[in-house]
Amino acid sequence: MSFLRIDVDKARELIAQNALVIDIRDAQSFASGAMPDAVHLSGDNIESFIQDNDHSRPLIVCCYHGNTSQGAAKYFAERGFEQTFSLDGGYEAWEESTLES
């Protein structure tokens, strides 16, 4: 299994279709702002997230700039998530797009 890289517009589309959003930034950054309904993941809760969530539901992985999320998206795809996406530009791109709206 693999993952796809997507832009903010495609992420919005998938969120509207009930995609799961996970944020892998540090806790302080997540607390300062996150995508709608995003779940903060760390080493402490990753296994329970994998066990407790529907693997057929699209999964969007968000980090700071869209680099680390690629490796994480690959990891989740390998763990059985059927539609896994890495957000290009990360939270920075998401935040920028909401300021432009």
Side-chain angles (χ1 to χ4, degrees), residues 40-53:
H40 181 251
L41 284 190
S42 68
D44 296 333
N45 63 350
I46 194 168
E47 287 304 319
S48 61
F49 176 84
I50 291 169
Q51 292 174 0
D52 297 343
N53 283 281

Side-chain angles (χ1 to χ4, degrees), residues 11-64:
R12 287 184 198 288
E13 231 177 85
L14 290 168
I15 290 168
Q17 298 169 9
N18 202 31
L20 288 164
V21 179
I22 59 171
D23 192 318
I24 60 171
R25 297 175 298 147
D26 68 87
Q28 184 177 356
S29 296
F30 179 78
S32 295
M35 294 170 67
D37 300 318
V39 174
H40 181 251
L41 284 190
S42 68
D44 296 333
N45 63 350
I46 194 168
E47 287 304 319
S48 61
F49 176 84
I50 291 169
Q51 292 174 0
D52 297 343
N53 283 281
D54 179 358
H55 290 207
S56 66
R57 210 170 145 192
L59 178 69
I60 301 169
V61 183
C62 175
C63 66
Y64 294 99

Side-chain angles (χ1 to χ4, degrees), residues 3 24 61 66-78 84 86:
F3 69 95
I24 60 171
V61 183
N67 298 318
T68 308
S69 60
Q70 292 178 48
K74 182 177 185 285
Y75 173 80
F76 284 104
E78 290 170 349
T84 309
S86 171

Side-chain angles (χ1 to χ4, degrees), residues 8 12 25 32-33 35 90-100:
V8 170
R12 287 184 198 288
R25 297 175 298 147
S32 295
M35 294 170 67
Y91 183 71
E92 186 175 283
W94 179 269
E95 187 175 42
E96 189 175 301
S97 77
T98 59
L99 295 174
E100 292 172 358

